[in-house]
Amino acid sequence: MWLPSPLERASDQFREDLAADPYLKYILLVSAVLATFWIWHRLPNFATRDERWRVVDSMEVAGFVADDGLTLEALQDGTSYWRVFGPTLYLYGLVALPAIVLTFAIGDGHVFSDLLGALGTDFYAHWQAIPAWLWWATVLPARLVNALLAVGCVYLLYRIGTKLRDRATGRLAALLLALTWGLIFLGHEAGEDVPALFCILLAFYLAIRYVETGSRRLFLWGSAVGGLAIAFKPTAGITAVMLGMAYLLHARRADDPVRALARPGVLIGGPVVALAVMYLAFPSVVLNGHEVLLDRLDRVANEKTNSHGWLGRPAWWWYVRGTVNGLGWPLAIACLGGVVAAVGGLGRRVLPPALARLRGQSSADSDPSLETDGMVLALAGIVVMTAVFSTWAYFRTHHLLPMFPLAIVLVALALRWLADSPRTVGAVDAHRLFQGVTAVLLVTTAIYAGVGTVGYATQPRDQAVSWLIEHGGENATVETYSGDSQEAAVPHGWTIYRPTDGTRGMVLANWMRLIEHRCPDYVVLNYQRSMLWLAPENHSQLADRWARPGVPTFLESLLSANGAYPYEVAERFGPQPPFRDGGEPFDPTWDMVRAGIYPRTIQYGDPQDFGVYGYAVVLERTGACDGSN
């Protein structure tokens, strides 16, 4: 089969690895199963808000094409519609293209125009403007592509570990990444985090190969991939750090370091290629000019300076919570140990030769190994990202994702050092200790990831929607108070009463009290915002910000068995917020610690995700409505 030369070499390497390592295919299979288990969750709704926008991007362009035809002006307007479109438009646009073409072919292209207008109403109208089958036909393939890239990340880490030491190291690193909950849950949604990670790991691998060979071609390819990674996610700027370090590390290996440093084709060509790819990766920039890119960079630089009303916590709290949630406590502790071991290993490898040179002596260990240089690159990435995050007011597990494989490869190296050590620890042989530690780490990480993954089959909002579809009639109606349809547990296609569609100038509590005028068959109360309206004043910044006079009284009456409204609780789904059971808000320290014990505690870290954030109460109408109330 004909492939461009780089892809052909990559294909040959992949086949060679599969033939040489009988365990690799099983590791990739484990990764694929975990990344795709119940991957249709929440459809035809969205896993997160970000997923909606990544998939909708191409539909918005299609809306302008439907209105104005396939013209340059339509593409310009479509790619500058209210925000900057990045490389996810190319990726998920190509994935959605067959469904979009089919929609036009059957004469339903007007739904994309309707989508543009519906956003002016609210998110529910925006969601309902597209038929359910089209959401399935675009979101599910996008998630599958994302899951495929997650498996690709596992393979790339195998390659990195193998290149730095041996296949046993690559296997261990790949298996640990395959079992990493942070990669698994991000593989279950269409976003930019996993594509960015794939590019980061590929740039890391190419940087290692450049250190080894000094090939200008490899450096330029690494720069191109790094530029694409930054276009996906600005925090992927660590690729520039790793490539810059690789440039210096290769010069240290060269017979003539000065000449190795004086390579304008690499030193200038690399940044030029990276910037060119970054520019081309933004269709908004290509079609509308560089000003929109500057706006995007300015927003990224300033958007993390406040907590957006979720939680006011120090940076170290966000760092620990996001890390332990993405890895689980056992793997998080192992990663810390891997970083410490790598720093200590570098000290033992680098300091003695340096001191020997200062004394004018030669050293047998003066020739750097590729393993040592790989450790330097991984540590550099971790240190730079940590320094960046220390300046942010809040961040979440998905922001920390790029550090996970960098730390995991250090864990794999440290464990392999232990396996090959001739020493004993007490009465225990080092190799037996390696086997025990590795077994415990793999089992605990697998349990943590397994519990989180299986939870996709029993998500509260999915269960609530299934219950409504099963019990509701053909023309059933439902009322809900979530501000965003992504957070709501309501079926697509139903008549949905919600305050975001307009309260006609009334105070929110007064509009809600007129529920018997609307007389919905069902009412669904979600954590977001219904439960937060019932939260105590000390619960969170968000509960305080969203407080509305009269709303808690209405909701308590609605939930009461002897309330004033003809509704009663039919079902509750998911873990109930502690404050609804007389409990106090979690202590910040316990809130941080538990995130690494229960995988489905947080995802992004705000009320659109796991744990109590998925809580839903379904109320069913039990009598006739009295419209006079």
Side-chain angles (χ1 to χ4, degrees):
M1 180 177 65
W2 181 87
L3 287 171
S5 181
L7 293 179
E8 186 176 10
R9 286 193 293 271
S11 177
D12 291 343
Q13 182 65 69
F14 181 62
R15 287 195 297 269
E16 178 185 325
D17 287 335
L18 287 175
D21 193 332
Y23 300 103
L24 176 59
K25 57 180 175 288
Y26 298 111
I27 294 172
L28 298 179
L29 179 61
V30 167
S31 178
V33 169
L34 291 172
T36 58
F37 178 81
W38 221 267
I39 199 168
W40 54 87
H41 68 105
R42 302 239 59 216
L43 285 171
N45 211 320
F46 314 103
T48 63
R49 299 167 188 163
D50 281 357
E51 178 179 71
R52 169 179 55 210
W53 301 127
R54 300 305 167 260
V55 174
V56 163
D57 285 350
S58 57
M59 294 185 181
E60 290 171 340
V61 176
F64 282 93
V65 172
D67 287 341
D68 304 326
L70 187 57
T71 64
L72 178 61
E73 290 78 10
L75 295 177
Q76 287 175 326
D77 292 340
T79 55
S80 60
Y81 179 63
W82 82 272
R83 67 188 183 284
V84 179
F85 292 74
T88 50
L89 176 59
Y90 295 129
L91 178 62
Y92 298 127
L94 286 173
V95 173
L97 187 59
I100 292 174
V101 170
L102 176 61
T103 304
F104 277 103
I106 62 178
D108 286 344
H110 63 87
V111 300
F112 301 119
S113 300
D114 297 341
L115 183 76
L116 298 176
L119 192 57
T121 302
D122 66 359
F123 289 125
Y124 291 87
H126 185 263
W127 177 46
Q128 301 254 44
I130 297 294
W133 74 264
L134 188 51
W135 287 128
W136 277 86
T138 51
V139 177
L140 183 58
R143 289 182 185 174
L144 289 170
V145 167
N146 213 50
L148 179 63
L149 289 171
V151 177
C153 291
V154 171
Y155 172 68
L156 282 172
L157 198 62
Y158 171 86
R159 270 279 85 229
I160 290 168
T162 300
K163 174 58 65 175
L164 293 183
R165 188 173 178 89
D166 54 27
R167 292 193 184 276
T169 304
R171 277 197 302 270
L172 182 54
L175 183 54
L176 286 172
L177 184 60
L179 298 174
T180 296
W181 171 236
L183 181 64
I184 293 168
F185 77 67
L186 287 167
H188 275 76
E189 66 170 83
E192 65 272 13
D193 295 286
V194 175
L197 179 64
F198 181 87
C199 293
I200 289 169
L201 292 178
L202 181 53
F204 184 18
Y205 178 69
L206 292 170
I208 293 168
R209 295 279 289 116
Y210 174 78
V211 172
E212 181 184 36
T213 65
S215 167
R216 184 180 68 172
R217 174 181 57 82
L218 288 173
F219 192 92
L220 295 180
W221 273 113
S223 300
V225 173
L228 182 58
I230 296 170
F232 272 119
K233 201 85 174 173
T235 47
I238 58 169
T239 56
V241 175
M242 290 191 289
L243 286 165
M245 293 292 294
Y247 185 78
L248 297 175
L249 291 171
H250 171 71
R252 185 170 67 104
R253 286 168 160 261
D255 295 331
D256 186 350
V258 174
R259 185 175 181 181
L261 285 172
R263 302 184 68 186
V266 174
L267 192 59
I268 299 174
V272 168
V273 168
L275 289 171
V277 171
M278 287 174 60
Y279 186 92
L280 295 174
F282 283 88
S284 299
V285 176
V286 173
L287 292 170
N288 296 282
H290 67 277
E291 291 83 4
V292 292
L293 180 59
L294 297 178
D295 291 341
R296 161 69 171 159
L297 294 175
D298 180 67
R299 184 172 69 87
V300 169
N302 293 291
E303 67 178 356
K304 303 302 180 185
T305 58
N306 66 76
S307 62
H308 288 268
W310 306 125
L311 290 170
R313 299 285 187 269
W316 68 264
W317 186 91
W318 289 103
Y319 189 93
V320 174
R321 188 178 79 146
T323 299
V324 300
N325 181 249
L327 298 172
W329 273 108
L331 184 53
I333 293 171
C335 285
L336 178 60
V339 170
V340 171
V343 172
L346 283 179
R348 290 189 298 272
R349 297 181 188 195
V350 174
L351 288 179
L355 292 174
R357 283 195 296 271
L358 287 175
R359 292 193 296 264
Q361 300 172 350
S362 61
S363 172
D365 299 324
S366 60
D367 293 332
S369 68
L370 197 61
E371 179 180 293
T372 301
D373 291 338
M375 289 158 53
V376 171
L377 297 181
L379 288 171
I382 293 171
V383 168
V384 169
M385 291 202 76
T386 301
V388 170
F389 292 140
S390 70
T391 66
W392 288 13
Y394 82 103
F395 46 93
R396 302 156 179 169
T397 303
H398 73 109
H399 294 116
L400 297 163
L401 179 66
M403 293 200 299
F404 295 167
L406 301 182
I408 284 172
V409 78
L410 297 179
V411 171
L413 287 169
L415 287 172
R416 292 307 304 167
W417 298 338
L418 180 62
D420 296 339
S421 174
R423 299 178 181 177
T424 59
V425 180
V428 182
D429 176 75
H431 188 76
R432 287 188 178 276
L433 183 61
F434 155 77
Q435 291 175 324
V437 170
T438 302
V440 169
L441 182 59
L442 289 174
V443 169
T444 54
T445 303
I447 292 172
Y448 182 79
V451 169
T453 304
V454 170
Y456 279 107
T458 56
Q459 292 194 125
R461 282 173 291 187
D462 283 347
Q463 291 178 317
V465 170
S466 297
W467 189 95
L468 287 167
I469 292 173
E470 180 181 350
H471 291 82
E474 183 177 348
N475 298 310
T477 58
V478 64
E479 180 159 311
T480 193
Y481 308 114
S482 297
D484 191 328
S485 55
Q486 184 275 324
E487 300 152 1
V490 292
H492 186 279
W494 280 29
T495 298
I496 303 170
Y497 300 112
R498 69 276 183 188
T500 52
D501 190 23
T503 57
R504 296 173 177 83
M506 286 188 287
V507 174
L508 178 61
N510 292 339
W511 182 89
M512 295 170 82
R513 292 189 190 103
L514 294 175
I515 186 172
E516 291 192 73
H517 283 270
R518 298 180 294 274
C519 200
D521 297 308
Y522 301 95
V523 178
V524 179
L525 304 180
N526 293 92
Y527 178 88
Q528 172 98 318
R529 305 180 172 186
S530 300
M531 293 300 111
L532 285 179
W533 279 323
L534 296 173
E537 293 180 358
N538 64 344
H539 178 266
S540 67
Q541 294 176 5
L542 192 61
D544 179 65
R545 191 180 76 186
W546 279 353
R548 295 293 184 272
V551 170
T553 303
F554 165 78
L555 291 175
E556 292 290 7
S557 177
L558 190 65
L559 288 166
S560 172
N562 300 311
Y565 305 98
Y567 291 89
E568 67 177 23
V569 174
E571 289 288 344
R572 301 176 191 269
F573 300 94
Q576 185 170 239
F579 58 78
R580 294 300 297 166
D581 195 27
E584 293 294 322
F586 287 135
D587 173 79
T589 302
W590 173 240
D591 195 23
M592 176 185 69
V593 170
R594 69 191 293 268
I597 300 173
Y598 308 104
R600 300 186 73 83
T601 305
I602 60 169
Q603 180 175 344
Y604 276 68
D606 55 44
Q608 59 174 310
D609 302 309
F610 297 148
V612 295
Y613 303 134
Y615 181 64
V617 181
V618 177
L619 297 100
E620 186 173 16
R621 182 159 54 82
T622 56
C625 293
D626 181 1
S628 63
N629 287 343

